[in-house]
Amino acid sequence: MIAFRAKSISFSYDVNRVVEDVTLSLTESEFVGIIGPNGAGKSTMLRLMCGILKPAAGEIELFGAELSGQPQRKVAQRVAFVPQETHFALNFAVEEVVMTGRYPYQRPFAREKKEDFEAVNNAINVAAVDDLRKRPVNSLSSGERQRVVIARALAQSPQMLLLDEPTSHLDLHHQCAIMELLKKLNTRGLTVVVVHHDLNLASLYCQRLVLMHRGRVKATGTPHELIKQKILKEVYETEVLVMEHPDKGVPQVFLRSG
Amino acid sequence: MTKTALITIIFLAAVVIGILVGPTPLDAQIMQLRVWRVILGIFAGGVLAFCGCLLQGLFGNPLVEPYTLGSASGAALGASVGILVFGAISPVLAFLGSLGVGFFVYTIARIEGGLLRDRLILAGVVMSFLCSSLVMIIMVMGGRELYEILYLLMGYLGIIINDSNRLMIIALIIIALGLVAFLYRFHRELDIISQGTETAAGLGINIQFFSLIVFFSTTLLIGLVVSLVGAIGFVGLIIPHVSKLLFGPKHRFNLGASFILGATFLLLADTLSRIITVYELPVGVVTSLVGVPFFIYLYKR
């Protein structure tokens, strides 16, 4: 089944076209990486996909239903968005943060229901933050905090999870842990879309890549089809070397300069 | 929930003290005056602290208070004009001043597709300065009325309630409390907005619209408070912090606790203002004088 479909969508901040005439469709349970240089429109694309931004032109369908007609609460029951970095102005306990992911299901004045607590427990469990549940969120390391934010997204019981550079501030251990968590979620049937700067991580974990350049989708394909010297050189304007990963066989990128 | 019980008991004690304690012996007439003072104190202190909590939550800024957005200065300006023109405090003019400045701040802050939320603060602060200057001009021109304007600027709960204004004041208080109850429903939205506007937008909160509702509701509420009892400072800034220190960051508890704590604090400050010197001090002087050391103690603990 088609999880997401965009038909020639465009978006601009002021006069700058950031996303231009993008057509893209994702099937359910796919693990997709959006890659491309800075300013290629990756993050904007992600925000268009979850309804935070509205396209100036074109149409978006989510799980067969037109996105533009739906209230954002309804969209949030299907699609969860994890921003690049979350700043917590108030020092909530971890489980309180995860509970806010239930907002799309809650009515004003009403108390949390049994389903809410179940979803929160489940999310905390899957994201493996059980040990942290009573901890104040600002006492956590960035890696732990990222897991909590993913748990909050999971509490939305989404069918599709969108993440904006989820590993960009993390050390090797936490990078790996986050990507393994996403892989686990994906094998359980969740559609995962990750905006990535790290081409090697993207190549290791994503089944399909979407390469964006100057607001357009330049190409889509498996890591083998896309991570190629010629394509990367053209898009990133940098000399690179592409070699196979010794264990996994997927392409990995090395810088030529220096 | 022993903390809830504790602040409720302290609140009730403050009500009793507010009615019983004062420089003059209690008789039926004094009693009636004091009861009104207590009602106004609960209303003003509660609403100010509640609005402070709401705005600090919305803007994610611990320094924002009800007066940051300019409506209180607008009310002070309106009331000062009333004193100059009619020789008496005019709640209607004060209220109009507050709403007028509120609308003006909104017009300055408004921008197509922009972040209304952040622009409101700067627009509010700028307008506050303008209103303060205008009030100063009126004070210089007023001469004789200086004293009355001073009380208005510092706040005073002892307004004379008589047959002509009693019904209006009761109606205003009921409207304000209704609005407070309505705004309480947004406790979850505030919790989420503190985690970033993108997170909030992703979960289905329309931040522009939400900011507008909160901005105009608080403008209305602050306009009501200042037009009745003057611009009592400090309560709206500090009480939400005290509430957070006691009850943690969740707005479900904080909004309610801020109301009760604000009411308690203002009642005690008003009682002090009556007995501390021979002359009755403006209550706004006492809130800062007593509140600052108390807050430093809590904050350092």
Side-chain angles (χ1 to χ4, degrees), chain A residues 93-126:
Chain A
V94 165
E95 56 184 3
E96 291 169 343
V97 171
V98 179
M99 183 55 93
T100 56
R102 295 302 293 169
Y103 175 76
Y105 298 91
Q106 290 167 328
R107 301 178 66 81
F109 292 116
R111 286 265 164 179
E112 286 82 9
K113 294 203 196 76
K114 208 171 122 235
E115 304 100 86
D116 296 326
F117 287 109
E118 277 168 8
V120 167
N121 285 335
N122 187 34
I124 284 179
N125 217 316
V126 174

Side-chain angles (χ1 to χ4, degrees), chain B residues 265-287:
Chain B
F265 178 63
L266 192 56
L267 286 180
L268 293 175
D270 185 51
T271 309
L272 258 180
S273 80
R274 277 180 311 210
I275 56 174
I276 207 166
T277 58
V278 189
Y279 305 103
E280 212 171 282
L281 285 173
V283 69
V285 175
V286 181
T287 52

Side-chain angles (χ1 to χ4, degrees), chain A residues 47 89 103 106 110 112 152, chain B residues 188-189 194-195 198 252:
Chain A
R47 283 160 181 76
Y103 175 76
Q106 290 167 328
E112 286 82 9
R152 180 185 69 199
Chain B
R188 281 202 189 99
E189 280 81 351
S194 81
Q195 300 174 40
E198 285 208 316
R252 168 178 290 161

Side-chain angles (χ1 to χ4, degrees), chain A residues 2 17-18 60 76 80 82 91 120 122 127 130 140 146 155 175 191 194 217 228 235:
Chain A
I2 301 287
R17 277 275 155 109
V18 192
I60 294 177
V82 175
N91 204 2
V120 167
N122 187 34
D130 307 70
L140 307 180
Q146 189 65 287
Q175 283 185 17
T191 311
V194 186
V217 170
K228 284 183 172 161
V235 171

